[in-house]
Every structure is written in structure tokens, then in C-alpha cells.
């Protein structure tokens, strides 16, 4: 009995090992989809299942105007939908054909993007900070030193950036819209217009104002002087004299230093600096005073006060507190001083 069982088992094993005999039947070739619906402009893949990946499958389309074959790779094809319509994609393998019916629909039309170009700002304020004076003044560190303009709301590029206005020389702008100040403004505040010119000719503009941190500081210093030393009962002449006293008391003489700002910020300057310092301090208080431009008129500033002309002399070559002087001038002496310094005396009387 045991011998018979062994023979039966061996016979069964031998039968299983015979060539061509498998426990499972091979799957028949079949397209993964018999129908496909898609839209124009899409890429789709189609695979013939049940065949090796490198099988010699021949792919074709019945209508290249609707569906075009983009790539063939063994049992897989990639096709592209060209326009609305119908086509049949066929896979031929070992004399048999397998078909997929493709329906191509029109895609949704994209709405054109809105074209409303705008600048990121139409009103900008910049502040110039002088390296020379930054250690002598207090200033607001949050103030903008430069500004990057950008255009949004359009696909059009900026063809050119332009700066126009009386203060244009103070500014520089790069090809990518970065606005900077080349130097600090004089004792005025320039206002300019920045224009972005698009490639289609359209223009976008922004107003730009500029201030010097030094000027802001000087204005505060002048205001403090006026609040501390000037009273409503004082005459114009007395106010101007007090300004001359202040300059002579708070600054030392420094040869060849003609910068009037240094009188107030560094506490030193020559006679040329002193006369302009007096001019600007008087002008701040609404007094008509003009520094003499002629270098021979050392420390002289012409003043019009209470219907009369005066010359104030500051900037003496001494350490503080320095002396100052004031005297009335009229007639030929006034005319000579005006001619030598190119003064318009009518300016004072207006």
C-alpha cells in the first residue's frame, strides 16, 4: 500500500512539471479602455494589457486631425487630442486588433486676464541721511531711504522708468524700478514725478517727495531757539541780533570750513559759514536777511528790519563765545554793498 501511494504522488508531481502545463491560464490581450472621452489639448495614455511591456504592438489613429500619436513604447501609447471630433486608436498585436473609441470635446475657453495696470504706490516719501552728519543728529530710523516701484494687473513689461520735475537731479531709478537719492536735497523739499512707461505705451505715475534728515533736525533746532529766546514783544532787529548772538555763542571759528550746517551740527565754521547760518536762522523766523556772497565781506549779512537796512557781522576768528556786531547801512554804502554782492534791494522791501 505504501509503495502504491508513493507512485501516485510521484506521478502527480511529474505531471505538474511537464512543459506548457501551468496552474493558471495566461490572460488574453485587452485594451485597458474601449472608450475614452476627453477635451482638446490633452495628452492621454492607453495600454494593451496582457502582453509584455516590450511587445511589438503597432499603434495607429483613424483621424490624425482629431487624435495624433505622440509616443509609442511597446504595449503603451501616448496620444494628443488636437480638435473636437471622434477617432479610433488601434493596437495591432499578433494579427489581432484592439480598438479604443476616443471622443474629443471642446475645452472651456479661458477668459482673458483683466488688464488694469497699477503701481504699488502713487505717493512716496523718501528721506536722505547724510553719512557726514548721521552721528550728529537724531532721526527716525523707520524713514524710507529707497523705494522699489512695481507694476501689477498686467502682463505688459515696463519699457522705461522716468523721473521728471525740478528736483529730478536728486534721484536715480534703476531698470527694475528701485528709486534712490544720489545726494541730500538743499534746504528745500523737492517733489518729482516717477513714470512707468509700459511696452504698449501706457504710462503710470507716482508723486515722490524727498526730505533731508539734516533739514528736519535743523528745523527742530531753529524752532527750539525761537521758543527759548524769541518773544512776541521783540522787534525784528532784536530778533536778528539774538540770532547773531546765538551763533557766536555756540560755535567756534574753524578756518576754511564754509559749511553753514556745521555751525549748528558740529559747533564750528568760518566767517562764510557764519553769515549763511545767520541768513537761514533769520529766514526761518520770517526775517529778510541775505548773506554777502563776496568773500571780502567777512561774516557780513544784510538785514532788512523795521523799515531799515542793517549789516550784521559774525564769524570772528576767535573761540566761543565770539563777538558779533550790527550797524545800520544806507545811501551809497548800501548801494555799493548791493552791487558788490549782486543784491536786489527791492526783494527786501517787498
Amino acid at each position: 500500500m505504501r509503495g502504491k501511494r508513493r507512485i501516485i504522488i510521484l506521478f502527480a508531481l511529474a505531471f505538474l512539471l511537464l512543459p506548457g502545463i501551468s496552474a493558471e491560464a495566461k490572460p488574453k490581450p485587452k485594451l485597458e479602455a474601449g472608450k475614452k472621452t476627453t477635451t482638446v489639448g490633452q495628452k492621454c495614455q492607453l495600454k494593451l494589457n496582457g502582453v509584455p511591456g516590450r511587445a511589438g504592438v503597432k499603434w495607429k489613429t483613424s483621424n490624425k486631425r482629431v487624435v495624433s500619436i505622440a509616443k509609442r513604447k511597446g504595449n503603451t501609447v501616448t496620444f494628443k487630442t488636437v480638435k473636437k471630433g471622434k477617432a479610433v486608436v488601434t493596437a495591432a498585436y499578433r494579427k489581432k486588433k484592439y480598438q479604443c473609441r476616443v471622443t474629443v470635446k471642446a475645452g472651456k475657453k479661458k477668459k482673458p486676464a483683466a488688464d488694469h495696470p497699477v503701481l504699488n504706490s502713487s505717493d512716496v516719501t523718501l528721506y536722505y541721511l547724510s553719512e557726514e552728519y548721521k552721528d550728529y543728529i537724531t532721526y527716525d530710523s523707520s524713514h524710507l531711504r529707497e523705494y522699489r516701484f512695481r507694476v501689477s494687473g498686467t502682463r505688459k513689461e515696463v519699457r522705461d522708468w522716468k523721473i521728471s520735475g525740478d528736483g529730478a537731479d536728486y534721484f536715480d531709478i534703476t531698470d527694475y524700478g528701485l528709486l534712490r537719492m544720489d545726494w541730500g536735497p538743499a534746504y528745500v523739499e523737492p517733489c518729482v514725478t516717477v513714470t512707468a512707461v509700459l511696452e504698449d505705451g501706457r504710462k503710470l505715475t507716482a508723486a515722490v517727495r524727498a526730505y533731508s534728515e539734516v533739514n528736519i533736525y535743523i528745523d527742530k533746532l531753529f524752532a527750539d531757539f525761537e521758543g527759548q529766546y524769541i518773544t512776541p514783544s521783540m522787534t525784528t532787529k532784536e530778533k536778528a541780533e539774538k540770532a547773531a548772538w546765538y551763533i557766536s555763542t555756540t560755535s567756534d571759528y574753524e578756518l576754511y570750513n564754509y559749511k553753514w550746517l556745521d555751525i549748528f551740527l558740529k559747533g564750528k565754521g568760518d566767517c562764510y559759514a557764519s553769515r549763511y547760518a545767520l541768513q537761514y536762522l533769520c529766514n526761518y523766523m520770517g526775517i529778510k536777511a541775505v548773506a554777502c556772497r563776496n568773500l571780502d565781506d567777512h561774516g557780513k549779512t544784510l538785514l532788512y528790519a523795521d523799515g531799515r537796512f542793517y549789516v550784521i557781522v559774525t564769524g570772528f576768528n576767535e573761540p566761543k563765545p565770539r563777538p558779533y556786531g550790527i550797524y545800520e547801512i544806507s545811501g551809497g554804502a548800501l548801494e555799493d554793498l548791493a552791487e558788490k554782492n549782486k543784491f536786489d534791494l527791492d526783494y527786501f522791501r517787498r
Side-chain angles (χ1 to χ4, degrees):
M1 289 298 291
R2 290 180 179 177
K4 288 183 179 180
R5 287 179 182 175
R6 288 177 180 174
I7 292 171
I8 292 171
I9 292 171
L10 290 173
F11 183 80
L13 289 172
F15 182 80
L16 290 174
L17 293 174
L18 286 175
I21 304 299
S22 174
E24 294 183 5
K26 287 185 178 181
K28 293 181 179 181
K30 183 180 180 181
L31 282 175
E32 63 180 357
K35 293 181 180 180
K36 270 186 178 290
T37 301
T38 184
T39 57
V40 174
Q42 301 297 313
K43 278 189 175 182
C44 303
Q45 277 194 342
L46 188 62
K47 184 178 180 181
L48 181 62
N49 292 324
V51 301
R54 296 183 179 180
V57 180
K58 294 181 179 180
W59 297 92
K60 68 177 183 178
T61 173
S62 64
N63 192 339
K64 294 180 180 180
R65 294 182 178 180
V66 176
V67 173
S68 65
I69 302 297
K71 185 177 180 181
R72 300 174 176 86
K73 188 176 181 180
N75 67 345
T76 304
V77 68
T78 301
F79 61 86
K80 184 177 179 180
T81 55
V82 181
K83 71 173 188 176
K84 182 181 177 180
K86 293 183 179 181
V88 177
V89 175
T90 302
Y93 180 69
R94 291 186 179 180
K95 298 182 180 181
K96 288 189 177 183
K97 295 181 179 180
Y98 307 89
Q99 294 183 333
C100 175
R101 301 182 183 279
V102 180
T103 301
V104 181
K105 296 182 178 181
K108 292 182 179 180
K109 292 184 179 180
K110 292 183 178 180
K111 294 182 180 180
D115 190 34
H116 301 296
V118 293
L119 280 173
N120 53 338
S121 180
S122 60
D123 196 336
V124 174
T125 300
L126 295 185
Y127 296 84
Y128 182 82
L129 178 58
S130 168
E131 288 294 321
E132 180 181 1
Y133 293 119
K134 70 178 184 179
D135 295 330
Y136 295 91
I137 67 173
T138 55
Y139 55 86
D140 189 341
S141 60
S142 68
H143 285 168
L144 288 177
R145 311 291 174 214
E146 60 185 23
Y147 187 78
R148 172 76 184 279
F149 282 103
R150 290 182 173 85
V151 176
S152 60
T154 183
R155 293 185 178 180
K156 300 295 183 183
E157 298 292 332
V158 177
R159 186 180 67 202
D160 194 16
W161 292 96
K162 295 182 178 180
I163 304 172
S164 58
D166 293 338
D169 291 341
Y170 289 106
F171 300 89
D172 177 66
I173 192 165
T174 66
D175 292 338
Y176 53 90
L178 179 63
L179 182 70
R180 292 174 290 204
M181 298 181 70
D182 288 332
W183 57 79
Y187 204 59
V188 292
E189 289 79 39
C191 182
V192 299
T193 299
V194 170
T195 303
V197 183
L198 303 184
E199 56 187 344
D200 59 4
R202 286 179 293 175
K203 298 179 180 180
L204 307 173
T205 61
V208 178
R209 280 177 294 277
Y211 299 92
S212 166
E213 296 284 8
V214 169
N215 293 349
I216 294 172
Y217 181 81
I218 288 292
D219 280 346
K220 184 180 183 304
L221 187 148
F222 285 177
D224 290 344
F225 161 80
E226 193 173 28
Q228 186 174 357
Y229 298 109
I230 304 300
T231 64
S233 62
M234 294 172 68
T235 65
T236 303
K237 179 188 174 185
E238 289 172 338
K239 293 177 182 178
E241 279 192 83
K242 183 59 72 172
W245 165 84
Y246 179 78
I247 290 169
S248 299
T249 303
T250 58
S251 64
D252 291 313
Y253 183 86
E254 184 174 65
L255 186 63
Y256 302 131
N257 183 354
Y258 58 88
K259 298 178 182 179
W260 71 270
L261 287 171
D262 283 8
I263 294 290
F264 298 110
L265 301 180
K266 297 181 180 180
K268 53 189 176 181
D270 62 13
C271 59
Y272 191 86
S274 295
R275 58 181 121 164
Y276 275 94
L278 180 61
Q279 170 188 314
Y280 285 113
L281 182 49
C282 286
N283 293 165
Y284 179 85
M285 295 187 289
I287 301 171
K288 289 187 176 181
V290 179
C292 290
R293 304 183 184 96
N294 193 294
L295 294 179
D296 292 335
D297 292 318
H298 297 283
K300 292 181 180 179
T301 301
L302 184 62
L303 166 74
Y304 188 69
D306 311 315
R308 296 181 180 183
F309 284 97
Y310 297 89
V311 171
I312 299 182
V313 185
T314 54
F316 288 95
N317 185 7
E318 295 178 16
K320 62 185 178 184
R322 296 183 286 166
Y324 67 92
I326 182 170
Y327 60 88
E328 186 177 348
I329 187 171
S330 62
L334 176 61
E335 295 293 337
D336 289 344
L337 186 69
E339 183 178 354
K340 191 163 54 172
N341 290 279
K342 308 300 181 185
F343 288 152
D344 178 9
L345 295 179
D346 290 336
Y347 157 75
F348 294 90
R349 298 187 180 100
R350 286 197 290 268

